[in-house]
Amino acid sequence: IPVFILAGLLVHCVFLVSIFEIYFSSPLVHGMTPQQTPLPPPAKRLVLFVADGLRADSLYELNNDMPQAPYLRSILENNGSWGISHTRVPTESRPGHVALIAGFYEDVSAVAKGWKENPVEFDSVFNETKYTWSWGSPDILPMFAKGATGDHVYTFCYTAESEDFGAQDAAKLDTWVFDHVKSFFNYSRSNQTLLSALNEDKVVLFLHLLGIDTNGHAHRPNSREYKENIKKVDEGVQEIASMIENFYGNDGKTAFILTSDHGMTDWGSHGAGHPSETLTPLIVWGAGVNYPQKVTSQFFEDNFLKEWKLEHLKRLDVNQADIAPLMASLIGVPFPLNSVGTLPLEYLNNSAHFKAESIFTNAVQILEQFKVKMSQKKETTLSFLFTPFKPLSDSEQINFLKKTRLYIQQQKYDEAVSLCKTLINLALEGLSYYHTYDRLFLGLSIAMGFVGWTTYVILVIIKTHTNLTKTVQTNNKESTVLFYSFAFVGIVIAFFLLIQTCPWTYYIYCLLPVPVWYAVMRELPVIQDLATNLLSLHIYQSIGFLLVCTLGIEILVFSFFYRSTLTVGLLVFAGWPVITQLWIQAKTTTLIWTVLCVLLAIFPLMPVVGREPNIPLVIATGLLTLLISCFSLASLCKSKNMYRNNEDLKVHFYQMLSIALSTYVVSSTHDSLKNKQGLPVLNQIISWMTLVFSSVLPLLSPTFLFQRLFSIVLSLMSTYLLLSTGYEALFPLVLSGLMFVWINMEQEALQHYGLSLKPKLAVFNFAYATDITQFRQLHLDDVRRSFFFVFFIVAAFFGTGNIASVNSFDPASVYCFLTVFSPFMMGGLLVLKVVIPFVLVSCAFEAVQVTTQLSSKSLFLIVLVISDIMALHFFFLVKDYGSWLDIGTSISHYVLVMTLTIFMMLMNGLAQLLTTKRLELPRRTKHHST
């Protein structure tokens, strides 16, 4: 068995890693030559303000006919051009800044790399400048300095501890930046080297303003704090702009850009593709920038212009990556090498010749990337297998470039511009074509492996855990032939990969199906035996069974996309005892089961967690849990000889105390944060101690079935309460109730099918439950048991929200533990919140296995088959195009199902530990005085 488990883990890890190789390898290429516009640029220096987390509507909208940001409003009405910059998902700070400053969208390989650093080396506008000075957050600035060649990018950051969601006022992060920029310029007057550096051309000043984002997370974007922060930024921008103009004696050589890296949802999060997250403001003014253009009518699908009263001013929308070439063109530096942005010509106030030359440079720069990508692919493919990208063959490229040059010489600038735009679009298509060149071939290899593995697991179940087949002797001669033929196939595949100098990972993906299918073919006699057996059964029964199985798995797959499918499934579960006539023998149990199924079915219909906090509900749940535990304590005290000592009562009492403390901490922390007093230290200590103790306390309780399970529920509830902000606090309570009834229902089902006598659940003890001799063979009903488990696991996952979407993360749920931004700590606590319902279901399943006398291995194998079939579905549904929300969701679905199997192995172990182990506390011996 260990060999089987190791093989399984290995196969699943390969399947899991494969999608990152197939769909999410880095699209960046290196080795291009920098391209620069040959004409002199309009500006010597550029000031870039990035207001982190600022939504377009928050800046442009009017508040009682008064603008939110009076100075910026007057700029876009009198001095500059404006529009909306459309960002791509993930709408996080790092990818947003990379798009703005380096001109390419988040490299998808970063999915696996976390937030802090950029996973690959890249070129940026800052790198191409003579000098760049930047002020702001330690999360953003260092990454552009790190990638720069030489030391011409200077950074000034505050400490990471300043980014506190619970602080009195996050706007001080922005005032810090403004004050430091002012003192920097004052200091430069007395420092000759700095002064001459500031007077060079090709200079960028970058101000990263994080206050708006921090206030948005802490108080939501519709709050007073968020809006006041916008006013402060507006005043700061006005002061800095006029100070810089004065410093350079109003020489008219400074360009200004104000934009944002991403927006924010109404509930204060970002990361996904909702319009409130992807629409950000862009205002450009100063040297070389167009003045406001008056128009009579303009058409956009949204109704923003009317709301903002800006119908009369031309709105120029851009993609976020287009801002990098715009900056490069304004100050005359080479376009960043990996940039995929198209220069937005309408922002430029310059000659038609300058515009044509600039966009031509842009086209050549993107074409360079295409050429490098193509030559890379050509080198690693056999010449007769290589199919080039037709629309941009070598001759086509030369043709495009010659034509454009000719148009520019003949001063036909409009024709040149439209030709360049066509070339840019073709080059981008070609880049994507070569990037996804091997996808189909790798995808098929993995699918072959998947199908083979699932077939093998089904055969193992049938061979070892059922009595459908008789043991068949294998023929030695046949098995040798089989071995050599598969070995030969393997060598041929490896040889092909070797000629094409493929990366080593390709060998794994292409050779994996060979041993897997060899293992399946070795069991050929079992398959033949099974076929004759099934044919002798009723054909319709077999087909009906298969149909029910397929329908069940499809429901599970659907529930990943539409949470309401879970409601349908739970309502079917509610009727299950009626359909199978179980209710006749156990009326009360059935009634409770039906009621709890219906209650649980309400949760998937509720909106995703974290949109509207509801602290009173969390407190009510805490009190309800206390009430239930009091009842159970009373009933346990009545039952005789269950408590042989007072130690067990003490444990129960401590758990009730911790529930009470958690309830108090939640209420007082949220009051304190509301009054802007930060997170009380005492509360923080209690929260962390509860977290630690709740994992140990169940191990001190007796191992009798219900007592141990109830103890686990109480411990996990105390931690879950601390992580709850709304109705989700009730979820584990209802779920655990249903789990208790499920254990009873499975007992009834066993008796109903006459598989065993009913053991007394009240005196059932986990510690003595692992006696091998009592295990029985599998029965068709066990497939339903396993399906129930997988269904409950999925319900535990999507019951209160879709974890797959980044923006359903609400930082408020970890405020009892910490308020200072720390992505890994917060992520860890959120994962814990997701895992708690899992643990409840796993422990219940453990109890079901033990009480129905099944080896955990046989049930686990069925679960493995179910989740592998689901994973194969999701493998073909993985996307790397469309909105980033779709991409993110499709990856996380696949990763979830793949890790679900690995995770269930871990959960299985954890559940065994939680239910069977017992820690004995040292007892005090009593001395009797005589």
Side-chain angles (χ1 to χ4, degrees):
I1 289 313
V3 178
F4 179 79
I5 287 178
L6 279 177
L9 272 173
L10 189 71
V11 169
H12 278 97
C13 289
V14 171
F15 289 158
L16 182 57
V17 175
S18 70
I19 67 154
F20 292 105
E21 173 97 15
I22 296 175
Y23 292 95
F24 302 103
S25 50
S26 169
L28 297 196
V29 284
H30 300 288
M32 290 77 65
T33 44
Q35 303 294 324
Q36 190 171 353
T37 313
L39 301 177
K44 284 177 71 176
R45 64 201 77 86
L46 181 133
V47 186
L48 172 65
F49 300 97
V50 177
D52 204 303
L54 175 61
R55 290 160 54 147
D57 55 349
S58 300
L59 181 69
Y60 294 136
E61 72 189 1
L62 297 171
N63 195 358
N64 305 328
D65 282 346
M66 289 296 292
Q68 291 283 1
Y71 172 70
L72 289 169
R73 181 79 176 199
S74 73
I75 289 284
L76 71 89
E77 285 176 349
N78 310 312
N79 306 51
S81 294
W82 74 284
I84 286 179
S85 152
H86 296 262
T87 71
R88 282 206 201 162
V89 182
T91 41
E92 299 288 348
S93 293
R94 190 202 62 202
H97 281 88
V98 171
L100 286 171
I101 297 162
F104 66 89
Y105 296 105
E106 173 61 280
D107 165 11
V108 272
S109 66
V111 168
K113 300 278 198 321
W115 278 276
K116 291 287 189 184
E117 285 287 334
N118 210 62
V120 280
E121 290 300 313
F122 61 92
D123 183 31
S124 69
V125 174
F126 293 175
N127 190 26
E128 300 289 358
T129 57
K130 225 172 243 172
Y131 294 105
T132 294
W133 285 276
S134 53
W135 294 266
S137 151
D139 295 337
I140 297 301
L141 305 187
M143 110 187 150
F144 294 103
K146 194 189 114 202
T149 46
D151 52 352
H152 58 275
V153 178
Y154 302 100
T155 58
F156 305 95
C157 311
Y158 36 78
T159 59
E161 284 70 50
S162 318
E163 303 173 27
D164 184 350
F165 295 141
Q168 280 102 356
D169 184 19
K172 65 175 191 291
L173 299 176
D174 297 344
T175 21
W176 185 97
V177 171
F178 294 136
D179 294 345
H180 275 73
V181 176
K182 286 178 207 159
S183 57
F184 172 79
F185 273 93
N186 287 336
Y187 168 68
S188 73
R189 292 176 201 276
S190 58
N191 181 332
Q192 204 47 50
T193 0
L194 183 55
L195 191 61
S196 60
L198 276 168
N199 279 301
E200 291 276 359
D201 55 357
K202 299 182 183 168
V203 166
V204 168
L205 303 165
F206 169 41
L207 284 71
H208 175 240
L209 310 165
L210 189 66
I212 295 179
D213 183 66
T214 314
N215 265 324
H217 282 310
H219 305 287
R220 315 279 184 261
N222 293 321
S223 62
R224 196 190 77 241
E225 289 85 353
Y226 187 84
K227 289 178 174 157
E228 279 176 2
N229 203 155
I230 295 177
K231 279 212 164 50
K232 277 194 182 151
V233 165
D234 184 57
E235 289 156 14
V237 169
Q238 181 173 12
E239 283 176 25
I240 298 292
S242 66
M243 180 199 72
I244 289 175
E245 291 286 17
N246 294 338
F247 182 87
Y248 289 109
N250 293 324
D251 64 353
K253 287 283 180 195
T254 314
F256 296 92
I257 293 184
L258 176 127
T259 184
S260 163
D261 54 349
H262 55 75
M264 190 171 277
T265 56
D266 289 342
W267 52 93
S269 70
H270 52 83
H274 190 271
S276 60
E277 298 163 273
T278 57
L279 302 182
T280 58
L282 173 65
I283 300 177
V284 191
W285 71 102
V289 181
N290 248 336
Y291 288 107
Q293 301 163 52
K294 297 272 193 290
V295 285
T296 44
S297 71
Q298 45 182 340
F299 175 71
F300 284 94
E301 283 182 355
D302 49 47
N303 297 322
F304 289 139
L305 290 168
K306 215 181 191 120
E307 285 171 34
W308 301 337
K309 305 215 169 129
L310 287 170
E311 304 100 320
H312 59 292
L313 291 175
K314 189 159 191 192
R315 164 178 152 187
L316 309 168
D317 281 18
V318 300
N319 288 323
Q320 196 173 35
D322 301 343
I323 296 174
L326 176 64
M327 294 196 283
S329 148
L330 285 171
I331 54 172
V333 297
F335 288 58
L337 294 177
N338 294 111
S339 164
V340 294
T342 311
L343 179 66
L345 295 173
E346 291 175 295
Y347 276 88
L348 298 179
N349 176 15
N350 219 315
S351 65
H353 182 203
F354 180 84
K355 289 182 181 178
E357 282 288 1
S358 298
I359 193 111
F360 180 62
T361 310
N362 191 354
V364 172
Q365 168 258 326
I366 292 178
L367 190 63
E368 277 285 309
Q369 294 181 66
F370 169 78
K371 285 179 179 164
V372 173
K373 194 90 182 173
M374 181 170 106
S375 65
Q376 279 180 3
K377 202 77 256 156
K378 218 171 186 169
E379 281 165 19
T380 60
T381 315
L382 294 174
S383 52
F384 65 88
L385 290 175
F386 181 72
T387 42
F389 181 64
K390 296 279 188 315
L392 270 187
S393 57
D394 294 352
S395 55
E396 283 288 319
Q397 294 176 30
I398 296 165
N399 191 8
F400 264 113
L401 298 176
K402 269 190 182 157
K403 250 190 186 166
T404 315
R405 265 277 146 252
L406 193 66
Y407 279 146
I408 292 178
Q409 280 161 5
Q410 296 171 348
Q411 300 189 355
K412 293 184 179 167
Y413 298 127
D414 291 347
E415 287 91 332
V417 166
S418 73
L419 206 60
C420 286
K421 285 186 173 165
T422 315
L423 181 57
I424 287 176
N425 290 333
L426 282 176
L428 290 175
E429 266 177 51
L431 269 172
S432 139
Y433 169 80
Y434 284 120
H435 183 55
T436 60
Y437 193 79
D438 290 333
R439 184 167 297 173
L440 183 69
F441 153 69
L442 288 176
L444 285 173
S445 301
I446 293 290
M448 289 271 294
F450 247 123
V451 175
W453 166 254
T454 312
T455 316
Y456 179 64
V457 177
I458 292 174
L459 287 175
V460 169
I461 295 173
I462 287 168
K463 202 169 105 177
T464 52
H465 294 282
T466 64
N467 33 25
L468 282 178
T469 58
K470 350 183 246 305
T471 45
V472 191
Q473 289 302 309
T474 49
N475 183 337
N476 275 349
K477 193 175 174 193
E478 274 178 21
S479 59
T480 325
V481 174
L482 198 65
F483 175 75
Y484 282 117
S485 51
F486 269 95
F488 176 70
V489 173
I491 292 165
V492 172
I493 294 175
F495 178 68
F496 245 92
L497 294 174
L498 193 67
I499 307 177
Q500 302 193 51
T501 59
C502 289
W504 62 273
T505 45
Y506 281 34
Y507 289 88
I508 298 178
Y509 303 142
C510 299
L511 291 173
L512 182 72
V514 178
V516 171
W517 278 101
Y518 169 64
V520 172
M521 295 312 289
R522 273 182 56 193
E523 305 294 344
L524 200 59
V526 178
I527 302 176
Q528 290 163 344
D529 197 30
L530 180 68
T532 48
N533 252 350
L534 284 182
L535 289 174
S536 65
L537 277 171
H538 303 293
I539 273 272
Y540 294 113
Q541 265 189 341
S542 311
I543 294 175
F545 177 67
L546 278 175
L547 279 177
V548 171
C549 285
T550 321
L551 183 72
I553 288 173
E554 288 307 312
I555 282 185
L556 285 176
V557 171
F558 253 80
S559 66
F560 276 71
F561 297 99
Y562 310 102
R563 285 171 53 218
S564 48
T565 322
L566 289 173
T567 304
V568 177
L570 283 165
L571 293 176
V572 173
F573 280 13
W576 160 66
V578 181
I579 301 164
T580 55
Q581 304 285 309
L582 258 179
W583 65 281
I584 299 170
Q585 66 188 61
K587 293 197 173 58
T588 350
T589 321
T590 306
L591 184 67
I592 302 173
W593 163 266
T594 310
V595 169
L596 284 171
C597 276
V598 173
L599 274 180
L600 196 66
I602 297 170
F603 285 95
L605 297 176
M606 305 281 274
V608 174
V609 166
R611 303 287 154 100
E612 288 303 319
N614 185 346
I615 302 304
L617 194 59
V618 180
I619 296 165
T621 309
L623 297 174
L624 180 66
T625 316
L626 270 180
L627 193 69
I628 294 172
S629 52
C630 287
F631 271 116
S632 79
L633 188 63
S635 69
L636 282 172
C637 283
K638 273 182 202 158
S639 68
K640 302 193 172 45
N641 78 14
M642 289 296 277
Y643 282 116
R644 303 212 167 65
N645 52 38
N646 289 338
E647 298 288 330
D648 297 344
L649 280 171
K650 263 187 207 162
V651 172
H652 197 103
F653 180 70
Y654 286 140
Q655 287 183 316
M656 286 169 62
L657 184 68
S658 95
I659 296 264
L661 273 176
S662 297
T663 314
Y664 160 75
V665 167
V666 169
S667 108
S668 81
T669 301
H670 284 272
D671 283 347
S672 163
L673 289 175
K674 215 179 207 159
N675 304 332
K676 302 225 176 137
Q677 289 160 346
L679 168 63
V681 181
L682 177 68
N683 288 10
Q684 199 172 5
I685 294 169
I686 295 177
S687 298
W688 285 103
M689 281 176 67
T690 306
L691 181 66
V692 174
F693 283 122
S694 69
S695 53
V696 183
L697 276 176
L699 297 176
L700 298 173
S701 66
T703 50
F704 291 108
L705 187 103
F706 283 116
Q707 276 168 275
R708 176 50 73 92
L709 288 180
F710 192 68
S711 169
I712 294 171
V713 172
L714 283 188
S715 288
L716 295 177
M717 267 310 282
S718 58
T719 310
Y720 200 86
L721 283 171
L722 293 171
L723 291 167
S724 299
T725 56
Y727 73 88
E728 83 268 28
L730 280 164
F731 181 70
L733 209 55
V734 178
L735 184 69
S736 50
L738 186 62
M739 292 297 101
F740 277 127
V741 187
W742 182 36
I743 298 169
N744 281 315
M745 287 300 285
E746 289 299 355
Q747 277 317 118
E748 301 294 346
L750 263 192
Q751 224 181 344
H752 182 73
Y753 289 109
L755 290 177
S756 77
L757 294 167
K758 191 169 164 187
K760 271 235 167 96
L761 282 182
V763 293
F764 191 88
N765 196 329
F766 275 122
Y768 313 120
T770 47
D771 180 7
I772 285 295
T773 52
Q774 299 178 340
F775 289 150
R776 58 183 177 79
Q777 292 284 38
L778 282 172
H779 178 262
L780 265 187
D781 197 41
D782 297 320
V783 177
R784 176 199 53 78
R785 248 173 222 123
S786 307
F787 177 75
F788 269 32
F789 172 58
V790 179
F791 188 91
F792 284 135
I793 283 275
V794 174
F797 209 89
F798 291 107
T800 56
N802 182 356
I803 313 296
S805 155
V806 191
N807 77 355
S808 62
F809 158 50
D810 176 21
S813 54
V814 297
Y815 285 171
C816 289
F817 292 91
L818 75 167
T819 54
V820 176
F821 179 66
S822 150
F824 292 105
M825 195 66 113
M826 289 180 163
L829 288 166
L830 274 170
V831 168
L832 179 72
K833 183 176 176 177
V834 177
V835 164
I836 285 175
F838 265 178
V839 178
L840 293 175
V841 176
S842 298
C843 288
F845 189 56
E846 180 66 25
V848 166
Q849 282 173 18
V850 196
T851 53
T852 56
Q853 296 168 342
L854 266 183
S855 71
S856 54
K857 195 183 121 229
S858 52
L859 277 187
F860 181 72
L861 288 176
I862 303 179
V863 170
L864 193 67
V865 172
I866 294 175
S867 50
D868 275 345
I869 297 173
M870 284 166 66
L872 190 59
H873 265 77
F874 289 120
F875 180 76
F876 288 110
L877 293 172
V878 172
K879 288 197 194 120
D880 68 334
Y881 58 87
S883 89
W884 252 92
L885 176 65
D886 303 345
I887 298 174
T889 317
S890 72
I891 305 177
S892 42
H893 284 167
Y894 178 69
V895 173
L896 282 178
V897 176
M898 286 309 297
T899 42
L900 204 63
T901 35
I902 299 171
F903 194 66
M904 279 189 221
M905 291 189 191
L906 295 174
M907 280 291 141
N908 207 3
L910 181 65
Q912 273 183 357
L913 178 91
L914 278 177
T915 50
T916 54
K917 292 281 169 285
R918 177 151 195 205
L919 298 176
E920 289 291 343
L921 286 178
R923 299 276 164 81
R924 286 192 299 270
T925 47
K926 293 181 182 170
H927 296 287
H928 294 286
S929 49
T930 47

